[in-house]
Amino acid sequence: MESAKFQFKEYFIRKSSIEKKEGEVSDEFKISFLPKGIINNSDSCFRLILGVHIEDVDQVIIIDIEAVANYYFDKEVDFASLESYFYINAPALLFPYIRAYISTLTNLSGYKPVNLPTLNLQRLGKELKERTTESDSCWSLVLSLYS
């Protein structure tokens, strides 16, 4: 069996915070994203750093998450094909883990679980492409990206 040309290897939550004020949390949320990427051609890796800001419409609950995901790609794949994997597929592969994390974290914090809808993240592609750099190491730029 042939291995995939682009593989999601692992993720971790780098930062998370929940702020809840007095009041009832609305079921309607505003969600914004801050994507950044690092490409390392020598190691065939792509690192996605995805910041997510969520607040209900009444701003009773505010959630900020920063997740980091590592992807590996086949060196034989042409870069034009890889771009769609990096900028379109990478955020879509990571977001379900963020959704589950938020639901679990809010529930374990004693709040009504925040269940985000599934989203089409294709619109993030252009911003992610603009905010992607190349590096000798996927790990070397992570701290500098958010300092």
Side-chain angles (χ1 to χ4, degrees), residues 8-134:
F8 176 54
K9 287 295 187 180
E10 67 232 348
Y11 81 98
F12 59 93
I13 303 297
R14 186 166 177 263
K15 293 182 191 176
S16 69
S17 71
I18 299 175
E19 179 184 345
K20 178 155 181 329
K21 301 173 185 168
E22 290 295 322
E24 193 67 31
V25 176
S26 170
D27 287 333
E28 191 176 334
F29 295 94
K30 296 181 215 172
I31 305 171
S32 60
F33 298 93
L34 179 62
K36 294 185 180 184
I38 303 168
I39 299 171
N40 178 333
N41 286 311
S42 62
D43 289 340
S44 300
C45 69
F46 176 72
R47 175 164 276 197
L48 170 65
I49 299 99
L50 187 59
V52 183
H53 177 83
I54 300 143
E55 56 186 56
D56 72 322
V57 291
D58 300 321
Q59 295 184 326
V60 173
I61 195 163
I62 298 171
I63 302 168
D64 286 297
I65 303 290
E66 184 177 284
V68 178
N70 294 316
Y71 304 83
Y72 293 92
F73 55 89
D74 190 330
K75 289 182 182 190
E76 304 303 315
V77 178
D78 66 290
F79 193 74
S81 298
L82 280 176
E83 281 194 336
S84 70
Y85 293 128
F86 293 165
Y87 307 128
I88 304 299
N89 295 346
L93 290 168
L94 177 59
F95 188 64
Y97 293 94
I98 294 172
R99 287 179 60 233
Y101 178 82
I102 290 168
S103 178
T104 301
L105 191 61
T106 52
N107 188 42
L108 291 173
S109 297
Y111 308 135
K112 177 182 163 191
V114 171
N115 296 310
L116 299 176
T118 56
L119 298 174
N120 181 342
L121 300 180
Q122 242 181 330
R123 65 180 176 84
L124 284 180
K126 183 179 178 191
E127 184 179 359
L128 177 55
K129 184 174 184 173
E130 292 169 358
R131 299 174 61 88
T132 295
T133 59
E134 289 193 39

